[in-house]
Amino acid sequence: MSDIKQSIKQSSESKIYLLAAGNPLIIKEMNELWKEYCNDMMKTDEFGELICRYGSTPGYEPFLETFAQYCNKYYGWNIDESNILVTPGSQIAYFYAVNAFSGQSHGEFKKILCPILPEYTGYQKLPIKPNTIIGLKPKITYLKENKFQYSLNPEIKNLIDENIGMILLSRPNNPTGNILSENEVKDIIRIATEKEAIVTMDGAYLAPIPNLQFHKAKPIFRDNILNIFSFSKAGLPGSRIGVIVGNSDLISKLENIQSNICLHSSRLGQGLALHGLRSGKLMDICEKIVNPLYRRKREIAEKIILENLNSDIPVNIHVGKGTFFMWLWFENLPISDLQLYEMLKKQKVFIVPGSFFFLGLKKPWNHTKECIRISLALPDEDLKEGLKKIIGIIEKIYMKKI
């Protein structure tokens, strides 16, 4: 991020292609929805209640009730307000969970397992204690049309020899857009149950909010599972609204942590989200506008890469089942992903090196230095031009012209 900020300051006249950031696009229809609700709220006493008074730690009561109804309707659960904690964004929610259920406990050091790499790099620095996260190499399957997919290592149970306090994963996955199958999730839950561990599922891209998934998948509610949701990709990243849903005993423990750290999440953001949920307009925009928009951008990106990149260059695109990211694997890349990043930066193109997403690997693996993550959340022309610049550099690298 510091690289990007510095380049923006130094390049007031030249174009910068931000294919690295996790910011969603500002979508007109979504923006108008939040403006409408802001205006409506300012005309009522609700506005004063939300910004001029403290609230309860779990969250704004009407929001809690409505979000419970939302989960019961769309996921077939049977939860109430006691199963929910609203946090100042989902990142702090992971921080609470990671440090509540890992680290030193009763004479044992409990670790965090990322069962299938690559995984969200934002988890890397969450544990207070170092060397807490361990990650497992995935199984790689080659598919048609330059596609490939990671899947859960079938030997996963035999690969875990540490004390595990939590299993942590994103579904849909950031950075790859992968979605673990229901059977893979069941295997993970089974292992967690045997090890008396908690499963934390990051659902920041799930349907119906924000509906950045292109493959059917629903979150699962169990006594040993924490599901974490976010409104950031539904147009409210600046409002910082994360939602943890789980067993009431687990939620109570996390609530105690939050009450000492920040008291409660932004009530104004919860008020906005509440109106979106109650009216149904938020789900409607996510389904009819947000989902098709990013699906189309993925199609554009794949077409640009496959039609413009020299066919002799071994590029593999991870199947895109969700998120607004694309994961590219350049087999036998002659340089490292970090060196590629520096070359692209000179062309004012920013990507994220893939090695940042391979958390807690025990042994070196060349594959980690052959991948990059790109964001699709930018205007079509910027996306096309940015990809063409990446292709140009990649071709020169493989042709040994750099």
Side-chain angles (χ1 to χ4, degrees):
M1 288 300 292
S2 59
D3 268 1
I4 295 174
K5 290 178 182 177
Q6 190 64 30
S7 293
I8 290 174
K9 287 181 180 179
Q10 296 174 351
S11 306
S12 57
E13 296 182 1
S14 58
K15 183 75 175 179
I16 292 180
Y17 300 89
L18 297 177
L19 282 79
N23 251 332
L25 285 166
I26 297 177
I27 297 171
K28 178 183 175 182
E29 293 83 356
M30 193 71 81
N31 202 27
E32 292 299 319
L33 182 72
W34 301 130
K35 285 181 182 179
E36 175 189 334
Y37 292 147
C38 276
N39 288 330
D40 290 347
M41 287 163 57
M42 284 191 288
K43 297 173 185 176
T44 68
D45 292 339
E46 181 185 19
F47 187 75
E49 285 292 320
L50 290 171
I51 70 167
C52 297
R53 299 180 67 85
Y54 289 119
S56 63
T57 295
Y60 181 43
E61 289 81 357
F63 175 83
L64 294 173
E65 180 182 350
T66 302
F67 196 81
Q69 294 169 355
Y70 161 84
C71 289
N72 294 338
K73 177 181 178 179
Y74 289 100
Y75 303 140
W77 296 348
N78 182 27
I79 65 170
D80 58 30
E81 297 92 313
S82 68
N83 300 111
I84 301 172
L85 175 66
V86 185
T87 61
S90 57
Q91 189 72 17
I92 194 71
Y94 311 136
F95 176 81
Y96 296 163
V98 159
N99 290 292
F101 302 108
S102 71
Q104 200 69 34
S105 177
H106 303 293
E108 292 183 312
F109 190 84
K110 297 284 188 178
K111 293 204 170 187
I112 299 160
L113 172 68
C114 291
I116 176 170
L117 298 178
E119 188 51 277
Y120 175 47
T121 188
Y123 302 150
Q124 185 89 49
K125 300 296 183 180
L126 291 176
I128 293 173
K129 296 288 185 180
N131 304 315
T132 300
I133 295 179
I134 56 174
L136 299 182
K137 288 171 60 173
K139 175 185 175 183
I140 296 177
T141 303
Y142 289 92
L143 304 172
K144 296 178 181 179
E145 299 176 339
N146 294 85
K147 301 287 181 62
F148 81 105
Q149 181 168 352
Y150 297 121
S151 56
L152 200 64
N153 192 314
E155 297 297 317
I156 180 173
K157 189 173 180 180
N158 300 324
L159 296 173
I160 304 170
D161 53 9
E162 289 92 347
N163 286 323
I164 302 297
M166 172 181 289
I167 298 179
L168 176 62
L169 67 147
S170 55
R171 184 174 182 254
N173 174 269
N174 174 0
T176 65
N178 195 14
I179 294 181
L180 288 183
S181 69
E182 189 172 320
N183 286 335
E184 287 176 312
V185 173
K186 287 179 179 178
D187 286 342
I188 289 170
I189 295 172
R190 191 178 305 115
I191 291 169
T193 302
E194 290 173 0
K195 292 187 170 290
E196 299 182 350
I198 302 299
V199 179
T200 298
M201 306 278 279
D202 176 351
Y205 299 90
L206 277 173
I209 296 173
N211 206 337
L212 280 169
Q213 64 178 69
F214 317 124
H215 179 87
K216 287 186 178 180
K218 284 188 176 182
I220 298 171
F221 186 89
R222 297 281 189 279
D223 281 347
N224 64 338
I225 297 179
L226 292 171
N227 284 285
I228 300 182
F229 303 93
S230 171
F231 281 80
S232 291
K233 304 309 185 283
L236 290 175
S239 296
R240 311 308 302 134
I241 307 170
V243 185
I244 310 176
V245 179
N247 175 287
S248 58
D249 290 337
L250 299 181
I251 293 296
S252 179
K253 185 172 184 176
L254 300 179
E255 180 186 329
N256 289 337
I257 296 173
Q258 174 152 290
S259 66
N260 287 288
I261 290 180
C262 63
L263 190 58
H264 61 70
S265 179
S266 161
R267 283 160 59 83
L268 181 59
Q270 293 178 68
L272 288 169
L274 167 64
H275 285 272
L277 289 170
R278 278 182 174 172
S279 68
K281 290 182 180 179
L282 177 56
M283 288 79 90
D284 197 48
I285 291 174
C286 287
E287 177 185 3
K288 296 178 180 177
I289 296 174
V290 176
N291 182 290
L293 172 68
Y294 287 112
R295 189 189 293 264
R296 182 181 61 79
K297 286 185 178 294
R298 172 168 283 277
E299 292 170 355
I300 289 172
E302 289 185 4
K303 184 177 181 181
I304 290 289
I305 293 167
L306 297 178
E307 289 186 356
N308 289 273
L309 186 64
N310 187 312
S311 59
D312 292 331
I313 293 175
V315 62
N316 299 286
I317 304 171
H318 196 284
V319 289
K321 298 182 179 181
T323 78
F324 52 60
F325 300 115
M326 178 176 282
W327 183 256
L328 302 178
W329 170 27
F330 298 101
E331 283 192 79
N332 302 313
L333 185 64
I335 62 173
S336 74
D337 59 326
L338 294 174
Q339 290 171 313
L340 175 58
Y341 171 83
E342 292 296 333
M343 289 181 178
L344 291 171
K345 185 174 73 170
K346 291 177 182 178
Q347 300 297 316
K348 308 302 180 186
V349 178
F350 289 89
I351 53 86
V352 182
S355 54
F356 292 156
F357 298 92
F358 289 89
L359 322 181
L361 269 181
K362 291 183 177 179
K363 297 179 181 179
W365 185 26
N366 284 340
H367 178 80
T368 66
K369 300 177 182 179
E370 299 175 343
C371 303
I372 63 172
R373 189 196 77 176
I374 63 172
S375 171
L376 306 174
L378 62 167
D380 287 357
E381 288 307 311
D382 288 358
L383 177 61
K384 292 175 184 178
E385 289 303 312
L387 286 171
K388 287 178 181 178
K389 285 179 177 290
I390 293 173
I391 289 169
I393 293 293
I394 287 291
E395 288 182 341
K396 289 179 180 178
I397 291 170
Y398 275 92
M399 303 301 178
K400 301 195 184 320
K401 291 183 180 179
I402 293 183

